[in-house]
Amino acid sequence: MDLKALQYFIQVVDAGGFARASHVAFLTQPALSKAIRMLEDELDMVLLERGKRGTQIKLTAAGEVVYRHAQQLLSGRQALLHELDALRNLSGGSLKLGLAPLGSAELFAPVIAKFRQLYPKIDMQLLVRGGIEQTLALQKNEIELATGIIAFDGEFDGLRIRNDPMVVVVPKTHELSCCEELQLTDLRGLSQVMFEPEYALYELVLDACDKAGFVPAEITRVSHADFGIALVAAGTGIMVLPQIIAERYRVDAVVNVPLASQDLRWELSLFWRKQQSLSFAAKAMIELVKQQLEQSKP
């Protein structure tokens, strides 16, 4: 059913006749009359009682039904266009962003603050999740964008935000604290403080140790970097961390020794599903991150 024909029908009824409606609809009377006839033919019902020329038209019972629903349909169409326009102009809508527990405060807090400043009417939901949970949340369409460590493939695409070297956090009293640089093999036989398995960094470090030919002697798992470093300071073990994270939570009782490994680096990304049609808000966030990356280039 043509919404335009329904609009003409409402205009004829509201105007009380074809002559007055033709001025409102910017259509000749014959063309307007033809449009209403076609609507009646489509519905196979008479909608208007047409009297003599100059007399006001009246709605039939069927016409009253069509008039009522036509108003609702056109009102719904207007609301639909208004809402789409709000999304397009970023004056409405929502954005669900999954944040990695590591690095988000350092790297994404300024971007998020800028986004809120530019688009205050966007409902932003920030969900802190581990790497495995991030991927599942994207696949279930629970979030549009995610941050974390991931390999771009046929399913995911994104932006590389940071590529940081790793350091080994050791107690100041440990014999390795005097080293200028450490190899992964230097960690053989040492107890390690590591993140919980749902963190992508856990698998990253574990795989690197495996390639180096050993398994950490004893693992103490944590969910927060500051607590992990506190455990290192207390003598629980050593901890492999991205340099930016280790420096942020550094305490006097530990030393951050650079790790000489090109295979083990911390690559944080903003990523999304290739098959997912991104909202205007998500695209705006991606553009803002791109601008931030350009400004941070040396």
Side-chain angles (χ1 to χ4, degrees):
M1 187 179 298
D2 187 2
L3 288 178
K4 198 68 176 176
L6 292 176
Q7 184 178 351
Y8 291 151
F9 175 69
I10 289 175
Q11 289 170 336
V12 169
V13 174
D14 290 346
F18 288 90
R20 292 177 182 174
S22 65
H23 297 293
V24 177
F26 300 103
L27 209 63
T28 64
Q29 287 190 54
L32 195 57
S33 180
K34 180 181 178 182
I36 302 304
R37 285 290 186 192
M38 290 177 66
L39 179 61
E40 290 178 320
D41 290 344
E42 182 182 354
L43 298 173
D44 196 23
M45 299 189 86
V46 177
L47 304 179
L48 298 173
E49 291 181 2
R50 298 165 176 81
K52 295 180 181 179
R53 182 179 294 273
T55 60
Q56 187 167 353
I57 55 95
K58 294 182 180 180
L59 284 169
T60 64
E64 290 179 357
V65 173
V66 173
Y67 181 77
R68 185 174 71 253
H69 284 282
Q71 286 181 310
Q72 294 174 356
L73 285 169
L74 291 175
S75 177
R77 174 183 179 275
Q78 190 61 35
L80 181 149
L81 293 176
H82 178 75
E83 192 169 337
L84 289 177
D85 187 60
L87 292 175
R88 188 178 297 110
N89 294 304
L90 298 169
S91 58
S94 63
L95 173 62
K96 294 181 179 179
L97 173 63
L99 293 173
L102 284 179
S104 294
E106 293 80 6
L107 301 177
F108 287 98
V111 178
I112 291 169
K114 182 67 173 178
F115 187 92
R116 296 298 299 141
Q117 179 186 352
L118 292 174
Y119 313 112
K121 293 185 179 180
I122 298 292
D123 178 25
M124 182 183 288
Q125 299 181 37
L126 305 177
L127 308 173
V128 179
R129 302 168 182 263
I132 296 175
E133 291 180 293
Q134 295 265 38
T135 303
L136 291 175
L138 278 176
Q139 291 171 337
K140 293 178 180 178
N141 294 324
E142 294 175 356
I143 55 177
E144 277 194 276
L145 303 174
T147 68
I149 302 171
I150 193 170
F152 298 155
D153 52 21
E155 184 176 8
F156 296 106
D157 198 3
L159 301 172
R160 296 295 186 198
I161 306 300
R162 186 91 176 201
N163 187 330
D164 250 22
M166 307 291 276
V167 299
V168 183
V169 183
V170 299
K172 272 189 176 179
T173 55
H174 198 282
E175 59 182 10
L176 295 180
S177 65
C178 299
C179 299
E180 293 185 2
E181 192 176 63
L182 289 172
Q183 303 289 335
L184 270 171
T185 51
D186 294 326
L187 309 185
R188 187 192 304 271
L190 299 180
S191 298
Q192 286 198 41
V193 179
M194 299 179 68
F195 284 99
E196 297 287 353
E198 60 264 26
Y199 286 67
L201 189 58
Y202 173 82
E203 288 295 336
L204 201 66
V205 175
L206 210 58
D207 287 347
C209 292
D210 183 62
K211 289 178 181 178
F214 71 96
V215 176
E218 185 179 339
I219 297 175
T220 301
R221 296 185 178 89
V222 296
S223 297
H224 301 283
D226 55 347
F227 184 53
I229 292 176
L231 288 176
V232 172
T236 303
I238 56 92
M239 190 174 190
V240 178
L241 281 176
Q243 182 177 355
I244 187 175
I245 305 299
E247 290 297 333
R248 181 184 178 187
Y249 296 107
R250 186 172 186 167
V251 295
D252 290 338
V254 302
V255 174
N256 298 332
V257 183
L259 184 64
S261 174
Q262 292 302 314
D263 295 330
L264 183 56
R265 293 185 68 87
W266 186 64
E267 288 189 324
L268 189 70
S269 301
L270 176 71
F271 61 100
W272 55 88
R273 290 183 69 201
K274 288 183 178 179
Q275 301 90 339
Q276 180 71 24
S277 179
L278 296 176
S279 66
F280 289 103
K283 292 177 181 177
M285 174 59 80
I286 292 170
E287 286 304 313
L288 204 57
V289 171
K290 286 181 179 178
Q291 293 174 20
Q292 189 83 357
L293 289 175
E294 284 297 319
Q295 292 172 6
S296 63
K297 285 182 179 180

